[in-house]
Amino acid sequence: MIENQKPTALITIFGATGDLANRKLYPSLYHLYKKDKLDQKFAVIGVARRELMPDQFQEQVRQSILEHVGTNENLDEFVSHFYYHSLDVSNTEHYHDLKNLVDELDAHYQLNGNRVFYLAMAPQFFGTIAESLYKQQLKSDNGFNRLVIEKPFGHDYPSAKELNDHIRLAFSEDEIYRIDHYLGKEMVQNIEVIRFANAIFEPLWNNRFISNIQVTSSETLGVEDRGRYYEGSGALRDMVQNHMLQMVALLAMEPPIRLNTNEIRSEKVKVLRALRPLEGDEISNSFVRGQYNAGVSKGKQVKSYREEEHVDSNSNTETFVAGKIMIDNFRWAGVPIYIRTGKRLTEKSTKIVVQFKDIPMNLYMKTEETLNPNLLVIHIQPDEGITLHLNVKKSGQFVETTPVKLNFSNKSVDGMNTPEAYEKLLYDCLRGDATNFAHWDEVALSWTYVDPIAKAWEQTKESSFPNYSSGSMGPDEADKLLEKDGFHWWPVTDLDVENC
Ligand code: BG6
């Protein structure tokens, strides 16, 4: 049951001076505030190690809004809800003072004991913070207590389990909100609606009519200033274990019996359980890794991954992954789901292409030609929309076909930007809707799938690295992966909404 649409709560943000808080969390809270989705009775405590006076912190929040939202409407009033507490997360004494502030604000704003603890900081502290919040009695007895955790949730299955066990000593599964910001994206949420609210798709959504599915999430940026983290992660852990597999689960799940958190999550879990595990040679037959070389990205010369800051000059870390995922269940047997993601690729784009099987007999073309297959393209970002590729008659005397695209663009309908993923997810969390957060079972199964691949790649040094130029769409092996099956990647640029 989803709670109050205008929730009241005390939001404590650990990592309050960090990048995520400044770029995403404060602007998202401001948007909610401006849209009147937050009750006037709310307060935010920023927690970080640095010593800051309350007004310095409020000034930081103000700057974040000015920079990322660009307006100052009601800004003074908004920032007046922000408080600051300097804390060393591993010092239990410090939580005592934090508790005093929490209790004081709870009473002052009449927050009914509703508490959100948002951990926007390095993962090695997640367990310690959760435990201290519990032991130092920062959880309330009367309202709700919710712990929001950023990724990465572990490094592999054993470390994720250890972390989860630690956190679960302090918070129940229902109280834990594991962020996967892809689940907050408008068009990722739309996958379910496109599938289950349209009579024309669901009957075709299976191995009788779909030949393959392609999920591409490409980035133009390199590793930027995250070399230290990324070296130990790579694209497989950074993108595939979470965002890519979440999209696969939404594409492949059975219709839930009800649109509620437990039913939807349980259908996604079934998909993740049905992923065909890979071992031995199957790994290199099904997954390809890449690392970017220097090149030209968006007209600018850029350096190779190995030349980036905090990156080993001989690094074996992948910045690109392409893979073929098979789902061993009745609906999907035999249908490859290809995924690819990487940094320093041609364009910033996330798209899903559902390719339908060819019609059994080609009536309309000369024998050497083939008809274009029907495609359903779901544009996740930066465009938001769907395109259906069909064949129609070319106007004129003869019966010849020509491809057409039926296009729906979210932006042109709404005439405005859809809310940021973080805004939606924060609002969901405040309302107690955990549907778009990852349940532990999903996290565990995703790691179980990814671990053997990560292990194999760690154990064998990839001698071809760097194997793709910045500005390209990854290594040639990624194309060969599909060619072996008689397919090819649908070029993301050709599928852009403006090219339709
Ligand atoms: C994050 C990854 O989870 O997702 C980043 O850690 C990546 O490396 C980012 O750049 C991509 O998100 P988006 O929303 O820009 O596609």
Side-chain angles (χ1 to χ4, degrees):
M1 174 69 173
I2 307 307
E3 293 160 16
N4 189 354
Q5 298 300 305
K6 224 167 141 178
T8 171
L10 174 63
I11 304 165
T12 305
I13 300 178
F14 290 79
T17 52
D19 199 44
L20 178 73
N22 281 306
R23 271 190 314 117
K24 304 284 184 191
L25 304 184
Y26 305 141
S28 298
L29 283 170
Y30 180 66
H31 279 133
L32 291 175
Y33 180 75
K34 269 198 18 187
K35 290 177 185 166
D36 204 22
K37 286 179 164 174
L38 270 185
D39 195 288
Q40 277 299 328
K41 292 188 283 179
F42 82 97
V44 178
I45 304 180
V47 174
R49 197 176 190 142
R50 198 179 303 169
E51 296 281 350
L52 280 184
M53 297 307 286
D55 58 331
Q56 287 177 302
F57 178 56
Q58 290 186 349
E59 185 51 31
Q60 180 200 307
V61 176
R62 184 196 309 277
Q63 288 308 323
S64 137
I65 307 303
L66 291 175
E67 186 180 338
H68 299 287
V69 185
T71 81
N72 62 4
E73 204 185 317
N74 295 337
L75 194 50
D76 288 340
E77 206 180 301
F78 175 72
V79 298
S80 72
H81 290 258
F82 283 70
Y83 298 80
Y84 186 76
H85 186 78
S86 156
L87 174 139
D88 169 3
V89 291
S90 46
N91 185 333
T92 45
E93 295 282 299
H94 287 191
Y95 288 83
H96 186 70
D97 295 341
L98 178 61
K99 179 178 162 43
N100 290 341
L101 180 60
V102 165
D103 289 343
E104 191 187 305
L105 293 178
D106 200 319
H108 178 76
Y109 286 93
Q110 298 161 25
L111 300 174
N112 304 329
N114 289 337
R115 293 179 189 171
V116 171
F117 302 99
Y118 197 120
L119 309 192
M121 54 188 306
Q124 65 264 34
F125 301 116
F126 292 166
T128 316
I129 298 174
E131 188 181 334
S132 301
L133 291 173
Y134 175 67
K135 288 199 173 145
Q136 304 305 316
Q137 298 171 351
L138 277 103
K139 290 181 73 182
S140 75
D141 298 328
N142 46 340
F144 61 68
N145 293 284
R146 296 182 185 138
L147 184 74
V148 185
I149 304 193
E150 276 293 330
K151 64 176 268 258
F153 199 90
H155 183 74
D156 52 14
Y157 174 73
S159 60
K161 171 138 183 18
E162 194 184 320
L163 172 61
N164 199 53
D165 289 348
H166 196 172
I167 292 171
R168 286 293 305 277
L169 296 174
F171 288 83
S172 67
E173 177 62 34
D174 286 353
E175 292 175 327
I176 303 172
Y177 286 67
R178 297 179 195 81
I179 290 253
D180 183 313
H181 78 280
Y182 267 57
L183 294 180
K185 291 187 191 282
E186 183 67 20
M187 289 307 293
V188 172
Q189 297 186 352
N190 216 332
I191 294 173
E192 175 191 301
V193 181
I194 293 166
R195 287 190 54 197
F196 303 135
N198 291 298
I200 57 168
F201 293 131
E202 198 45 30
L204 307 181
W205 211 261
N206 55 51
N207 55 7
R208 287 177 58 207
F209 299 100
I210 290 179
S211 78
N212 73 91
I213 297 179
Q214 304 177 10
V215 185
T216 299
S217 191
S218 61
E219 296 187 72
T220 51
L221 288 181
V223 72
E224 308 301 295
D225 54 2
R226 295 164 74 223
R228 212 180 299 241
Y229 149 77
Y230 201 84
E231 267 291 85
S233 158
L236 188 67
R237 292 185 172 99
D238 187 49
M239 291 290 291
V240 177
Q241 182 271 338
N242 37 63
H243 312 319
M244 303 302 279
L245 288 181
Q246 282 289 337
M247 286 192 280
V248 169
L250 287 167
L251 285 164
M253 73 182 190
E254 293 299 313
I257 53 173
R258 272 185 205 87
L259 285 181
N260 66 27
T261 307
N262 287 344
E263 297 302 341
I264 293 174
R265 281 169 155 188
S266 115
E267 292 306 336
K268 282 163 69 191
V269 164
K270 282 188 213 158
V271 173
L272 296 170
R273 276 173 46 205
L275 297 180
R276 184 182 300 169
L278 297 173
E279 52 185 57
D281 287 349
E282 292 159 6
I283 294 174
S284 52
N285 288 335
S286 303
F287 271 76
V288 166
R289 54 180 157 161
Q291 187 191 75
Y292 63 83
N293 204 343
V296 179
S297 171
K298 297 174 94 187
K300 277 212 325 237
Q301 185 67 38
V302 293
K303 53 187 168 188
S304 71
Y305 176 67
R306 289 179 176 184
E307 291 165 316
E308 303 274 16
E309 231 177 292
H310 305 300
V311 169
D312 184 345
S313 55
N314 209 8
S315 174
N316 192 39
T317 299
E318 78 286 352
T319 59
F320 175 97
V321 175
K324 169 178 166 180
I325 294 174
M326 299 302 290
I327 299 177
D328 287 330
N329 65 15
F330 204 79
R331 187 189 280 260
W332 294 113
V335 181
I337 302 188
Y338 301 106
I339 55 157
R340 98 185 131 153
T341 181
K343 296 207 179 279
R344 284 274 187 248
L345 299 182
T346 318
E347 71 168 327
K348 170 82 182 159
S349 163
T350 303
K351 284 188 179 60
I352 295 164
V353 182
V354 179
Q355 179 174 340
F356 291 89
K357 286 192 171 163
D358 293 338
I359 49 173
M361 197 179 126
N362 194 344
L363 293 174
Y364 294 103
M365 294 269 182
K366 295 180 223 105
T367 41
E368 68 274 16
E369 288 175 274
T370 52
L371 222 47
N372 287 323
N374 295 132
L375 303 179
L376 173 68
V377 184
I378 304 178
H379 306 263
I380 308 282
Q381 62 182 15
D383 307 322
E384 295 181 346
I386 49 176
T387 314
L388 188 59
H389 294 223
L390 303 172
N391 296 299
V392 298
K393 179 180 171 296
K394 203 183 228 172
S395 56
Q397 179 72 44
F398 304 105
V399 182
E400 285 177 276
T401 66
T402 186
V404 291
K405 294 164 186 168
L406 303 185
N407 205 19
F408 157 75
S409 164
N410 225 11
K411 289 213 172 97
S412 56
V413 169
D414 289 352
M416 55 179 273
N417 282 334
T418 48
E420 257 271 13
Y422 273 93
E423 181 185 331
K424 288 189 186 201
L425 293 175
L426 265 170
Y427 190 49
D428 280 350
C429 170
L430 288 164
R431 286 161 47 247
D433 183 354
T435 313
N436 292 312
F437 293 81
H439 187 278
W440 163 243
D441 293 346
E442 297 169 61
V443 175
L445 287 162
S446 303
W447 277 126
T448 309
Y449 180 74
V450 156
D451 277 353
I453 308 168
K455 204 163 166 201
W457 286 355
E458 265 158 22
Q459 284 168 356
T460 48
K461 186 145 176 71
E462 178 52 70
S463 55
S464 69
F465 276 2
N467 59 356
Y468 70 95
S469 305
S470 288
S472 72
M473 271 314 277
D476 294 343
E477 282 65 29
D479 296 332
K480 292 187 192 137
L481 185 69
L482 273 70
E483 280 161 19
K484 285 192 292 197
D485 297 340
F487 299 124
H488 62 84
W489 293 104
W490 292 96
V492 282
T493 32
D494 294 1
L495 299 174
D496 281 350
V497 171
E498 65 258 30
N499 294 333
C500 291

